[in-house]
């Protein structure tokens, strides 16, 4: 028996990287999943791999209608919604404010905050009625950049992931006692993570532009390169009411960046 037996979940940004790994693990734990992503191609591959256990919805997390479609699909197909995982995100490739051309800044900010912050707000809004009915929960993907500066990203990304902490805390307050709201803060991993098109950062993935594996080996306290799958147990724990019914308003830092790195590397 899995920790999520009979659960119905929506996962945004489910087409690759961490979202794809969350989908795989939720299925293993007994959940049914609606995978929501802007990439129809990635979703087709996911569907081919997992079959009927996964429903797919192609859409943009910056649209309330698309978020509603994803939540409605969960109810249509699985009869309810227990867990909404907000996960789709964009990175800024450590672009400094100084080096961001003024003429690109407004659109770049809007695009990154549109996905990383507005996408979570709209997803929560779309999911609330069904989560209130089921006594379910929201789990958001944040980042080591939710706590620290000087490593996790430039000012746009760091600000967006700090905003996520405020959103978790305020929604946990607003939705208690019926709906729990928590987040997982992973560290670096080699995924298809892109940046805002408006900043010219949409054509390269994090691992192609940045030695993310080496950074994790050298700068995280545990000195290894995590795969997306290494982070997903925290989502299962926070989604499973039987395992975390006392937990709301918390951000689970699974990044190993919160502990200073020993120079010897252990
Ligand atoms: N990769 C890392 O080093 C790292 C570190 C810490 C936190 N994170 C966070 O993990 C989350 C997942 O990122 P990932 O690394 O797996 O990247 P990824 O690009 O592999 O996965 C993100 C998915 O979101 C989708 N997406 C992007 N914009 C969308 C939109 N507007 N509407 C719908 N879907 C959209 C993409 O198509 C993609 O499939 C993000 O929130 C990211 O900030 C990543």
């Amino acid at each position: 028996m899995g920790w999520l037996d009979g659960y119905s979940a929506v996962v945004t940004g489910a087409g690759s990287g961490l979202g794809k790994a969350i989908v795989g693990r939720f299925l293993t734990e007994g959940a049914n999943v609606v995978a929501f992503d802007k990439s129809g191609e990635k979703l087709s591959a996911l569907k081919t791999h997992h079959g009927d256990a996964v429903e797919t919805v192609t859409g943009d997390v910056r649209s309330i209608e698309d978020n509603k479609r994803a939540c409605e699909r969960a109810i249509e197909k699985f009869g309810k919604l227990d867990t909404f995982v907000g996960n789709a995100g964009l990175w800024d490739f450590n672009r400094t404010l100084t080096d961001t051309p003024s003429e690109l800044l407004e659109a770049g900010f809007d695009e990154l905050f549109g996905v990383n912050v507005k996408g979570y707000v709209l997803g929560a809004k779309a999911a609330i009625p069904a989560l209130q009915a089921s006594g379910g929960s929201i789990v958001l993907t944040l980042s080591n950049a939710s706590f620290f500066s000087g490593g996790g990203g430039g000012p746009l990304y760091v600000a967006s992931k700090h905003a996520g902490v405020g959103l978790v805390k305020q929604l946990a307050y607003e939705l208690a006692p019926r709906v729990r709201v928590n987040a997982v803060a992973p560290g670096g991993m080699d995924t298809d993570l892109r940046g805002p098109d408006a900043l010219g950062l949409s054509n390269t993935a994090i691992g192609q532009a940045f030695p993310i594996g080496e950074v994790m080996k050298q700068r995280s306290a545990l000195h290894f390169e995590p795969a997306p799958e290494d982070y997903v147990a925290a989502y299962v724990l926070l989604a499973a009411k039987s395992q975390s019914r006392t937990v709301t308003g918390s951000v689970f830092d699974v990044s190993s960046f919160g502990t200073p790195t020993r120079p010897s590397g252990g």
Side-chain angles (χ1 to χ4, degrees):
M1 202 163 130
W3 276 9
L4 302 178
D5 259 341
Y7 272 55
S8 163
V10 168
V11 179
T12 79
S16 63
L18 186 57
K20 182 178 167 188
I22 294 167
V23 172
R25 181 64 186 272
F26 272 33
L27 294 173
T28 305
E29 295 290 339
N32 294 303
V33 180
V34 174
F36 175 20
D37 203 284
K38 70 174 182 187
S39 165
E41 207 177 320
K42 287 179 179 177
L43 289 176
S44 298
L46 198 71
K47 183 83 184 160
T48 304
H49 185 69
H50 290 297
D52 287 345
V54 170
E55 283 289 315
T56 60
V57 170
T58 307
D60 190 326
V61 295
R62 294 169 292 179
S63 151
I64 187 71
E65 290 310 320
D66 289 356
N67 278 287
K68 283 183 179 171
R69 269 197 302 124
C71 295
E72 281 159 11
R73 181 73 70 82
I75 292 160
E76 261 164 51
K77 290 287 170 183
F78 311 132
K80 59 179 180 156
L81 178 65
D82 298 292
T83 311
F84 181 88
V85 180
N87 168 75
L90 296 178
W91 193 44
D92 62 8
F93 289 78
N94 289 329
R95 179 73 63 83
T96 62
L97 193 56
T98 315
D99 288 339
T100 305
S102 306
E103 62 277 16
L104 306 185
L105 184 57
E106 286 185 35
F109 177 95
D110 288 348
E111 191 177 341
L112 190 139
F113 264 69
V115 178
N116 292 12
V117 184
K118 186 169 84 175
Y120 287 177
V121 172
L122 299 182
K125 177 68 179 166
I128 283 170
L131 295 178
Q132 280 172 334
S134 67
S137 83
I138 294 171
V139 186
L140 301 179
T141 296
L142 297 181
S143 166
N144 56 288
S146 295
F147 311 111
F148 315 112
S149 55
L156 298 189
Y157 185 76
V158 170
S160 76
K161 291 297 181 182
H162 273 64
V165 177
L167 187 60
V168 166
K169 292 187 181 299
Q170 188 60 28
L171 284 180
Y173 170 74
E174 178 180 326
L175 301 179
R178 186 80 179 141
V179 175
R180 298 179 302 113
V181 184
N182 295 293
V184 178
M189 63 199 125
D190 187 353
T191 64
D192 195 30
L193 187 61
R194 307 286 169 127
D197 197 33
L199 296 179
L201 297 174
S202 61
N203 291 325
T204 314
I206 186 170
Q208 293 166 315
F210 193 72
I212 187 69
E214 275 313 302
V215 169
M216 289 305 293
K217 280 185 197 159
Q218 285 165 23
R219 292 192 36 209
S220 70
L222 297 176
H223 293 292
F224 78 102
E225 179 185 351
E229 288 74 12
D230 290 315
Y231 294 117
V232 299
Y235 293 82
V236 177
L237 176 74
L238 292 173
K241 200 170 187 177
S242 61
Q243 305 300 320
S244 58
R245 62 187 296 224
T246 64
V247 185
T248 196
S250 85
V251 181
F252 190 173
D253 180 2
V254 296
S255 73
S256 87
F257 274 110
T259 300
T261 307
R262 294 179 65 217
S264 69

